[in-house]
């Protein structure tokens, strides 16, 4: 069950990477690279920090699913772009799931709740940072005007707190993921924004 949820999140993240490659007019190789990095980058960073073999190198599905997302974007990107509101909902679900799973794995490895929270955020947004850098853009994490990192932070913190209270397993992961998901959806629905420094005008 956990692997199926992982693969679902990987697919959505990979789709976002492949679509950015289309907008940047990259070829199919560039699309595949951005898809793979977006989908797997955060998890690989997490596992390397935890000094374990990355899950992406233990299951063929972790590599094939981003390639499938690349193929879909390659042939049907205009149709996928029209479905972006739905894709963003699934992206929010992947964000919540990855932040919770990352924090849980960090707590299981013996990290403190604070460090587990940070690693949960890394799992959720690390792939997006790599995607933006490779695409020649300022990472969106650095101007979180649509509250992307904040929901991941709160979801990971909730998971670390539950784990510290000896509440483990999929119910705790699901609850933390749902919290991050709902916050991200609320941010999109009500256009919630992170504050700028005092006196700084918002970009047009």
């Amino acid at each position: 069950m956990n692997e199926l949820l992982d693969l679902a999140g990987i697919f959505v993240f990979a789709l976002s990477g492949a679509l950015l490659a289309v907008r940047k007019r990259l070829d199919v190789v560039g699309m595949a690279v951005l898809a793979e990095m977006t989908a797997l980058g955060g998890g690989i960073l997490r596992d390397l920090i935890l000094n374990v073999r990355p899950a992406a190198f233990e299951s063929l599905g972790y590599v094939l699913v981003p390639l499938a997302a690349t193929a879909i974007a390659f042939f049907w990107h205009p149709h996928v772009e029209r479905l972006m509101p739905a894709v963003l909902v699934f992206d929010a679900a992947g964000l919540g799931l990855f932040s919770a799973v990352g924090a849980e794995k960090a707590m299981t490895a013996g990290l403190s709740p604070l460090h587990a929270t940070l690693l949960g955020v890394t799992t959720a947004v690390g792939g997006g940072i790599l995607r933006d850098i490779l695409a020649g853009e300022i990472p969106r994490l650095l101007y979180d005007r649509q509250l992307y990192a904040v929901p991941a932070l709160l979801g990971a913190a909730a998971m670390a707190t539950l784990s510290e209270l000896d509440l483990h397993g999929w119910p705790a992961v699901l609850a933390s993921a749902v919290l991050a998901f709902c916050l991200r959806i609320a941010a999109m629905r009500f256009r919630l924004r992170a504050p700028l420094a005092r006196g700084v005008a918002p970009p047009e």
Side-chain angles (χ1 to χ4, degrees), residues 50-74:
L50 294 177
N51 199 29
V52 299
R53 180 182 298 173
F57 294 97
E58 292 187 335
S59 172
L60 193 60
Y62 281 72
V63 178
L64 294 181
V65 166
L67 293 180
T70 300
I72 290 173
F74 183 84

Side-chain angles (χ1 to χ4, degrees), residues 129-152:
I129 293 175
L130 293 175
R131 174 200 62 209
D132 293 341
I133 291 174
L134 289 173
E137 294 191 347
I138 299 174
R140 297 174 192 178
L141 181 67
L142 301 183
Y143 55 103
D144 192 20
R145 297 291 291 148
Q146 295 184 341
L147 292 191
Y148 197 78
V150 172

Side-chain angles (χ1 to χ4, degrees), residues 10 26 42 45 52 63 76 92 94 105 120 129 147 170 181:
I10 284 171
L26 302 183
L45 287 173
V52 299
V63 178
W76 298 291
K105 289 187 176 182
I129 293 175
L147 292 191
W170 69 264
F181 170 78

Side-chain angles (χ1 to χ4, degrees), residues 51-191:
N51 199 29
V52 299
R53 180 182 298 173
F57 294 97
E58 292 187 335
S59 172
L60 193 60
Y62 281 72
V63 178
L64 294 181
V65 166
L67 293 180
T70 300
I72 290 173
F74 183 84
F75 289 106
W76 298 291
H77 61 87
H79 306 288
V80 177
E81 290 282 7
R82 285 197 290 270
L83 294 174
M84 276 310 293
V87 172
L88 288 174
V89 171
F90 286 109
D91 181 80
L95 179 79
L97 176 66
F98 281 19
S99 65
V101 169
E104 183 203 30
K105 289 187 176 182
M107 291 294 290
T108 302
L111 271 65
S112 70
L114 175 60
H115 291 103
T117 298
L118 295 176
L119 200 53
V121 175
T122 299
T123 306
V125 306
I129 293 175
L130 293 175
R131 174 200 62 209
D132 293 341
I133 291 174
L134 289 173
E137 294 191 347
I138 299 174
R140 297 174 192 178
L141 181 67
L142 301 183
Y143 55 103
D144 192 20
R145 297 291 291 148
Q146 295 184 341
L147 292 191
Y148 197 78
V150 172
L153 176 67
L154 295 178
M159 183 65 244
T161 301
L162 291 174
S163 184
E164 187 75 356
L165 297 173
D166 284 331
L167 297 173
H168 307 283
W170 69 264
V173 172
L174 182 60
S176 303
V178 168
L179 172 62
F181 170 78
C182 291
L183 290 173
R184 173 62 178 151
I185 293 296
M188 292 190 294
R189 173 65 178 83
F190 299 107
R191 299 182 181 276

